Every structure is written in structure tokens, then in C-alpha cells.
Amino acid sequence: MPSTYSESPIRTDSASDRLDGETHTSEVARARPRTAEPAPSRETVVIIDFGSQYSRLIARRVRESNVYCELAPHTAPWETVERLSPRGVILSGGPASVYEDGAPLAPEWVYESGLPVLGICYGMQAMVHQLGGKVAPASRREYGYAELRQSVSDAPIFRGMSSSSQVWMSHGDNIAELPSGFSALAHTDNSPIAALGDGGGRLGIQFHPEVVHTVEGRQLIRNFLFDVCGCSGSWTPGNFVNETVESIRAQVGGGRVICALSGGVDSAVAALLVHRAIGDRLTCIFVDNGLLRHREPERVRETFGRHMSMNLTYVDASERFLSALRGVTDPEAKRKIIGEEFIEVFEEEAARLGEVDYLAQGTLYPDVIESQSPGDEVSAKIKSHHNVGGLPEHMRMDLVEPLRYLFKDEVRDVGLELGLSEEIVHRQPFPGPGLAIRIVGEATRSALETLRAADRIVMDEIERNGLYREMWQCFAVLTGSRSVGVTGDFRTYGDVIAIRAVTSDDAMTADWARLPYEVLARMSSRISNEVAGVNRVVYDITSKPPGTIEWE
């Protein structure tokens, strides 16, 4: 839809200011919801998503303030939100203009409920438009830094903030006429009304407080949460553990559960929560699908079988998976095949164990967001996640997903609360489809051997140089390309390996890591000399967006 309004890309700066939703669990796709829901006693803020690329960043800022929140599409009826007993609502930005035909608007319950509301950028414009004000194209669009000057000195939303401060703008429309009962709270050179309020709980700001460019943005969000909504900040790892254990017990009752254990932090934390809730009625199943990294099966069996005292079943299904992937090159097809094979393996193992009622898996909130795209009309699905939305209808087990509403950094905090070791908690994410989506083309045995050898070298050098904890992920990719090279006096025509290293907080966005040249040189030299058939190494300097972290 053509629009005079658009949001320009905003850099979110350091790793703690980025978001993403790569598939980072080795679990399987989900189908039916029957999972533990968040306890209704939680203080919750609902974020109405109008399709902004920054909606998830708003959610991160709210969570950082120890207040629970969920994203909801702009079409969400009150019945789906009421279960959360919300304390307030945030209206996100978005790519539309409110005066265009078909522009998304907030559901009427937002204004009828009497809840505090904070409209951000497009969200403010939607509120103004719906409450009788007027929004019009600005004479000059405003993108980037701006100086916000407060028009009043006692607005609760600005408590503790400077009377003049730097904010980040990204809009092409302005407020032309205020709704009845509203007044202007702040302005910039190009926006006569950069903030507004009705003297109660309805507030709007034209700028983006969620990005680091807005210097006092975190304070503004906290002011809304605590001073306006009356939240206390009780969303903590300890409270989450207690609530979730009780929720799992209520859901599972006297049933038995199997857990898809990958060795990563997501499935480990999910398993620990379920184990704390039901004890030995949980059996963890680790499937060697032949798509794992160097010595991964041995490490997982050692760590989880011996040191975590859980029932662990090991299944070597590598031949089965590789056979199913034979001749398959399309990345989406590879993901779906792997997900289907996982479910079949789990059901077979469950049958051997006897009566099993539930499957536990480490689905995270970014997985859910990217796969189901809140507000389908205004935001796009990026890719399917094999642990969200793809279980066969005949599957006999219901799901337990205790991490379904958490971001990755929150999972790590919960892991530490549960007593997990630093090694497991801070293990870099590994995609559920494994090395299959780090091979462009068919995942053959020879291709897997080549990639494992190159990936081991990358990890060796990252760890040797003390860079592991600075990276969100670092790994090798077998690109599917071949190039001419020279080895000794002979011409070669070999494989091209790409090195991928990114910094992020939970992968909703990511930036390529500025690895030291000497580290890259050492990786390249070792891969070219130690990995048979490889004669060229390249470094991927693509951020997300526009790329994704994984290549497929």
C-alpha cells in the first residue's frame, strides 16, 4: 500500500540492544496450543503490533524493566487479552498512515477498557485519529536525531528526564489537531506536537523511546510502566520459575513427559523446569540426527546423562535423517523434513517407554513471533521455524512449552536461577535443523564432514582468543560454491567456506562481528590447509536485517 509514512532503519547499537528470532532449539515444530499459559497474576502490559520493525524492541525494553509483556495483533479481541489482566497498553509504530484506506487501527477495547495507553509514533497517530483528532502529512519528514523540548514541567511520563533531550524520529506525518481533552506535552523543531496526553493515562509520543538513539528512552518507558500503569517490576527469574513449575504441574497432572533435548540452553532449561515440576516422570530424549557439530553427541550425553541426573535416552537416527534428506536442496523443505523426522522418532521412543502424554520443547518467544507474525496484514512472516507450527495432526502427545513467552537472555537468567553451569547457560545457539541449513545444497555425508572440520577450526580460534562470550554465534558455512585455487604448483577447484560471526542479544536483529584480522587470517589459513577440498575462505559481513543469521 503506498504511503507517505515509513520507518527508516534504526541501528540498535550494542549487543544488548538487538533482537531476533532465528531457530535456536533442536526441538520440533508445534501444532496445537495446549501449553502452560503465563499466570494471570503477573503484571502484564500488552503491546499492540502495527507491523513496526521495532515492536519487538519495545517488548525487550519492557521486559528489561522486570514487567511482563506480550505482543498482540491490532485485530486482537478483548477476549484474547483479558486472560492477561493487563495493566496497560502500548501502541507500536508501523509503516502505514492512519488516514489511508485500510490503515490498521487499535481495537476499541483499548480505549473502552480505561487502561493506560502509550502510543509510539504511528501508535500515537492511530490514537489521535480514533479519538477525534487529525493527522496529516508533514511539510517535512523527520528521520533521525531531534531535540525534544518539554512544553510542561510536571508530566509523569517525563519524570526524571531533562527538559530538553535527544530523541530519534522516524515519521512523515504530524498531529494537525488534538482530540478533545488532550494537550501538547513536548515539541521538536519539525513536530509542533511531539508528545501529548489527556491528563490521565492516555499518552502519545512521536519519537521512538525503545532505541538507544533516544538518550532517555528507557526512563520514559519505566515512567509509563511504574508511574502511569502502577507496575511494581515483579517479573524476575525467581518468580518465573515458581509460577512455571506450578503451571506445568497443573497442566501435566499425573502424566508422563518426554523432552526433546538438544544440548543447548533452551532445551536444558525447559527440561530442568519440567523435572522440577514432575521429577522422574520426565524422560529426556537426545536424537543424534547426523547433523550435529564435531563430538556434539558425546558431549551432550556426558553433560546431561551424568551431571544432571535425569532419565536420558540416546537415539542414533543419523542414517534415517540423511536418507530422508537425500537429494533435497530447498532450505524450507529441509527444515520441514527434519521436523517431521523428529516427531516420528519421538513418537517411536514414547511408544517404547509406554504411556507418554506430553512432549516438552524449548520454543522461545522469537520463534513464535517470526513464525506466526502478529498482525498478519501488516507484518510479514520471515521463515518457518521447525519447532513452531508443523506437527502432524495425528500426533498423540500434547505440548509443554515452558519457555514460550521468553526471549533468549531471559532463558539464560532462568538457567542460572535453576543452577545450570555457565558453560551450558552461555552456550551459543545452534539451529534445530543443525548443519543441514549451514550447507547450501544437499546435506551429504561428505559435505557434513567438510563443514564439521571447518566449523571446529572456527570455534577453536574463537575460544583460543577469548572471543566466545562476545559472540552471539560464530560458525562456518559450506556455501555450495567452488572456486579456482593453487596448491603448490597445481591448479585446484575447491569448496568455498564462509565464516559467519554476529553479535546480538536474542537474535531479533544482529550485527556482523568485527573479528580481529589476525584471528580471521588464522582461521582462513587453517581451514585452507587442514580441511580437504577447501581452497577459499570468505567472511560474511551482512547484518540482520537485511540478511538472517543462518544462511538458509
Side-chain angles (χ1 to χ4, degrees):
M1 175 168 57
S3 175
T4 60
Y5 174 86
S6 64
E7 288 189 339
S8 60
I10 295 180
R11 181 179 60 85
T12 54
D13 203 58
S14 66
S16 64
D17 297 306
R18 298 185 187 91
L19 305 167
D20 167 30
E22 294 290 343
T23 302
H24 292 311
T25 54
S26 292
E27 289 74 41
V28 293
R30 74 174 301 279
R32 297 170 294 282
R34 290 191 59 185
T35 58
E37 295 289 340
S41 60
R42 291 177 184 168
E43 296 177 336
T44 302
V45 169
V46 175
I47 300 170
I48 300 297
D49 182 11
F50 289 118
S52 170
Q53 59 182 314
Y54 314 123
S55 298
R56 299 156 196 180
L57 190 53
I58 298 171
R60 291 297 306 115
R61 295 293 178 249
V62 173
R63 298 280 186 95
E64 286 169 3
S65 298
N66 297 118
V67 174
Y68 182 73
C69 68
E70 284 191 28
L71 287 166
H74 71 92
T75 54
W78 172 247
E79 291 72 24
T80 65
V81 174
E82 187 178 14
R83 67 180 175 83
L84 299 170
S85 300
R87 303 290 290 271
V89 179
I90 296 177
L91 306 178
S92 83
S97 286
V98 294
Y99 45 76
E100 294 177 329
D101 292 339
L105 298 174
E108 287 302 319
W109 62 258
V110 169
Y111 310 113
E112 295 172 352
S113 65
L115 291 169
V117 181
L118 174 63
I120 296 177
C121 202
Y122 179 85
M124 177 180 79
Q125 297 166 6
M127 180 168 61
V128 167
H129 178 78
Q130 289 181 268
L131 295 179
K134 184 178 180 181
V135 179
S139 58
R140 192 169 78 176
R141 296 186 180 192
E142 194 171 24
Y143 295 108
Y145 292 108
E147 192 71 18
L148 182 77
R149 300 179 184 88
Q150 296 178 27
S151 305
V152 297
S153 59
D154 59 350
I157 195 68
F158 293 137
R159 183 186 61 80
M161 296 173 59
S162 306
S163 60
S164 178
S165 61
Q166 179 181 284
V167 298
W168 187 267
M169 292 287 196
S170 180
H171 68 103
D173 294 332
N174 274 340
I175 306 303
E177 184 179 321
L178 287 168
S180 176
F182 281 76
S183 59
L185 302 179
H187 63 278
T188 68
D189 289 341
N190 294 319
S191 294
I193 304 175
L196 53 81
D198 67 351
R202 293 176 179 175
L203 298 152
I205 53 176
Q206 187 61 73
F207 54 93
H208 287 270
E210 68 273 25
V211 301
V212 295
H213 305 69
T214 297
V215 176
E216 296 180 298
R218 281 182 172 87
Q219 181 63 44
L220 185 145
I221 290 173
R222 290 176 62 84
N223 289 345
F224 177 71
L225 298 174
F226 300 128
D227 294 351
V228 181
C229 297
C231 295
S232 62
S234 59
W235 172 245
T236 64
N239 286 340
F240 173 82
V241 170
N242 294 333
E243 292 174 2
T244 303
V245 166
E246 290 304 314
S247 182
I248 292 169
R249 285 174 181 159
Q251 179 190 5
V252 172
R256 296 182 63 192
V257 181
I258 59 174
C259 179
L261 192 64
S262 70
V265 64
D266 301 340
S267 60
V269 172
L272 277 176
L273 286 167
V274 175
H275 188 259
R276 180 168 290 193
I278 66 170
D280 288 342
R281 285 185 285 125
L282 166 70
T283 298
C284 294
I285 298 177
F286 173 69
V287 178
D288 181 358
N289 58 10
L291 306 171
L292 303 175
R293 291 173 291 192
H294 177 70
R295 291 190 56 79
E296 190 84 349
E298 294 86 350
R299 189 191 67 80
V300 171
R301 294 173 72 182
E302 172 73 15
T303 300
F304 293 91
R306 181 174 299 178
H307 298 304
M308 295 181 66
S309 301
M310 292 184 186
N311 297 326
L312 177 64
T313 297
Y314 171 78
V315 182
D316 184 355
S318 54
E319 184 58 46
R320 173 176 182 163
F321 278 81
L322 293 181
S323 176
L325 290 169
R326 190 168 295 129
V328 179
T329 60
D330 179 73
E332 282 290 279
K334 285 192 281 189
R335 287 175 180 272
K336 291 175 181 177
I337 288 170
I338 292 167
E340 290 168 359
E341 290 297 322
F342 264 119
I343 278 298
E344 291 185 10
V345 170
F346 290 138
E347 289 207 315
E348 290 168 8
E349 291 306 312
R352 292 190 184 96
L353 291 170
E355 185 66 27
V356 175
D357 309 286
Y358 296 90
L359 169 65
Q361 60 181 20
T363 307
L364 303 190
Y365 201 28
D367 299 337
V368 177
I369 293 170
E370 277 205 351
S371 292
Q372 69 184 25
S373 294
D376 289 336
E377 312 95 291
V378 293
S379 63
K381 174 177 173 179
I382 297 170
K383 64 183 177 184
S384 67
H385 287 278
H386 78 296
N387 59 333
V388 183
L391 292 180
E393 286 300 320
H394 68 270
M395 194 188 82
R396 296 184 296 273
M397 293 172 284
D398 291 317
L399 292 174
V400 178
E401 294 177 308
L403 310 179
R404 184 173 174 79
Y405 298 96
L406 295 189
F407 289 97
K408 180 69 114 181
D409 58 323
E410 293 171 325
V411 174
R412 290 190 168 117
D413 290 340
V414 171
L416 293 173
E417 180 73 22
L418 290 166
L420 268 179
S421 69
E422 291 273 343
E423 175 191 359
I424 298 174
V425 167
H426 293 289
R427 180 177 180 263
Q428 290 185 5
F430 186 63
L435 299 180
I437 59 169
R438 293 178 180 174
I439 295 173
V440 180
E442 183 181 355
T444 64
R445 285 192 180 277
S446 61
L448 287 163
E449 290 173 3
T450 297
L451 182 56
R452 280 195 192 98
D455 188 73
R456 179 177 56 84
I457 291 170
V458 170
M459 295 308 300
D460 280 351
E461 294 300 323
I462 288 291
E463 291 174 351
R464 179 179 300 170
N465 289 276
L467 298 170
Y468 186 84
R469 290 283 292 273
E470 296 181 21
M471 304 293 107
W472 173 261
Q473 280 178 278
C474 48
F475 53 88
V477 177
L478 186 58
T479 65
S481 300
R482 294 173 66 81
S483 72
V484 174
V486 177
T487 302
D489 294 327
F490 297 95
R491 176 187 182 276
T492 61
Y493 192 57
D495 292 316
V496 178
I497 289 287
I499 297 170
R500 180 72 160 146
V502 298
T503 58
S504 185
D505 186 44
D506 58 12
M508 298 299 290
T509 65
D511 195 12
W512 62 278
R514 274 62 170 175
L515 294 180
Y517 289 159
E518 59 270 21
V519 174
L520 289 171
R522 179 68 177 164
M523 289 179 183
S524 177
S525 176
R526 287 190 59 191
I527 291 172
S528 299
N529 283 282
E530 298 176 27
V531 182
V534 176
N535 67 0
R536 191 177 297 272
V537 178
V538 298
Y539 188 50
D540 183 350
I541 60 169
T542 310
S543 296
K544 176 181 181 176
T548 56
I549 293 179
E550 299 293 345
W551 273 42
E552 291 202 326

